[in-house]
Amino acid sequence: MPRHKNFNQTNTVKEATNLFWKDGFYQTSIQDLVKNLGVNRASLYDTYGDKEGLFKRCFQTYRDDVFTITKEIFSTHNTTKSRFQSLFQWLITTLIEDKEKKGCLICNTYTEVLPYSKNNTLIDLVNETKALWIEIILNELKKGAQNNEINKNINLENTAHAMYASMIGVCVLSKTDTTAERLRNTLNIHFHIFK
């Protein structure tokens, strides 16, 4: 007779995301998850395979939520510059208002996983996320170029990578005692590309 999963997977993923976000993948044990989520070990394994499977689900859910917010922000503005201004403002506000100074789960995972991991699944996950972010930024920059909003001599691909690197940097720096103004200035430097 199959085991019934008697827990809410949406809530479990949300609570597990907070644990991974705060403590990291490696520092969060299965026992931590069982204790904090109120779910038995067998149910976690049956549903997600292992800790890595649960983390992957949490990471992808978090990433998809961020991409959804980004697309919503971009859809409410008429110019490329205003889209990025609004995105950067949302990012800074979200980071600064977090009293725990957790930063960004995506960025935290980059800094935790990439330097040390031999786990190809996690490395592929963060590299895929970087590629998706670059694609989103580059597509918006291309729209701006087509609408004659961006200076002609700008290399859009290099700019997309630079913007993304700045966003990652801001997420990491938000965990320090930096100010919203300093973070804003770090991102706003990219607006020189606009006419």
Side-chain angles (χ1 to χ4, degrees), residues 142-152 194-195:
K142 286 178 179 177
K143 288 178 192 174
Q146 289 170 353
N147 293 332
N148 201 29
E149 298 174 58
I150 296 176
N151 294 317
K152 295 285 185 204
F194 295 102
K195 293 182 177 180

Side-chain angles (χ1 to χ4, degrees), residues 1 3 18 29 41 46 56 58 66-67 104 110 134 136 148-149 155 178 182 184 188:
M1 184 169 164
R3 249 181 249 160
N18 285 329
S29 69
R41 186 180 299 256
D46 285 348
K56 186 174 179 182
C58 292
V66 170
F67 286 164
C104 165
Y110 287 171
I134 297 295
I136 289 169
N148 201 29
E149 298 174 58
N155 181 310
T178 193
R182 175 60 63 198
R184 193 172 298 110
N188 287 349

Side-chain angles (χ1 to χ4, degrees), residues 86-125:
S86 187
L87 174 64
F88 293 166
Q89 185 57 47
W90 168 79
L91 179 63
I92 292 164
T93 301
T94 302
L95 293 167
I96 292 294
E97 287 180 353
D98 178 15
K99 302 294 185 215
E100 295 179 279
K101 290 186 174 275
K102 293 186 305 288
C104 165
L105 177 63
I106 295 168
C107 300
N108 294 353
T109 304
Y110 287 171
T111 58
E112 180 185 20
V113 168
L114 288 178
Y116 310 108
S117 183
K118 295 186 185 343
N119 183 318
N120 289 334
T121 302
L122 295 180
I123 291 171
D124 289 347
L125 187 62

Side-chain angles (χ1 to χ4, degrees), residues 150-157 159 192-194:
I150 296 176
N151 294 317
K152 295 285 185 204
N153 62 342
I154 299 298
N155 181 310
L156 299 181
E157 188 167 342
T159 301
H192 74 279
I193 68 170
F194 295 102

Side-chain angles (χ1 to χ4, degrees), residues 16-54:
T17 298
N18 285 329
L19 280 175
F20 287 128
W21 192 357
K22 190 174 72 167
D23 297 332
F25 174 74
Y26 293 116
Q27 293 298 315
T28 303
S29 69
I30 284 289
Q31 186 55 41
D32 294 331
L33 292 165
V34 167
K35 178 182 169 189
N36 287 286
L37 303 178
V39 176
N40 71 51
R41 186 180 299 256
S43 292
L44 282 178
Y45 280 113
D46 285 348
T47 306
Y48 304 106
D50 56 14
K51 180 176 88 165
E52 182 183 302
L54 176 57

